[in-house]
Amino acid sequence: MAVTNVTIRMSGERCGDLISLGGHYLFYTTHRDLLLLDGARFDTPAEARGVIGRALAERNRAPGRGIAAVPTDRLSA
């Protein structure tokens, strides 16, 4: 089984990589607005692009409240 790597870019911005694993793709990122998607599993690259695109659109609608925002009660001291 060959492993493939697909780099995901949105509007010229590098978002992360999809790594094939069997019949699925795992998303890996260091993009601060996509950290909650790091390690997410998708059936197709198109599905991943849709979810990533929606996450970035949400970030653009609410500055400072992107997908990487963590509730303050979950922060450790």
Side-chain angles (χ1 to χ4, degrees):
M1 166 178 34
V3 174
T4 59
N5 178 7
V6 178
T7 299
I8 301 294
R9 293 185 180 276
M10 299 274 180
S11 301
E13 182 176 19
R14 188 178 185 286
C15 298
D17 295 291
L18 287 176
I19 308 298
S20 66
L21 182 64
H24 302 284
Y25 294 85
L26 297 178
F27 180 64
Y28 293 101
T29 186
T30 56
H31 192 293
R32 78 180 280 279
D33 293 320
L34 299 171
L35 289 177
L36 290 179
L37 292 175
D38 189 52
R41 186 179 79 172
F42 299 98
D43 290 329
T44 66
E47 177 189 12
R49 284 186 181 94
V51 170
I52 294 163
R54 286 189 294 278
L56 292 174
E58 179 64 29
R59 170 199 68 177
N60 292 337
R61 281 194 296 274
R65 305 262 322 150
I67 194 166
V70 177
T72 55
D73 63 336
R74 294 186 56 199
L75 295 175
S76 59

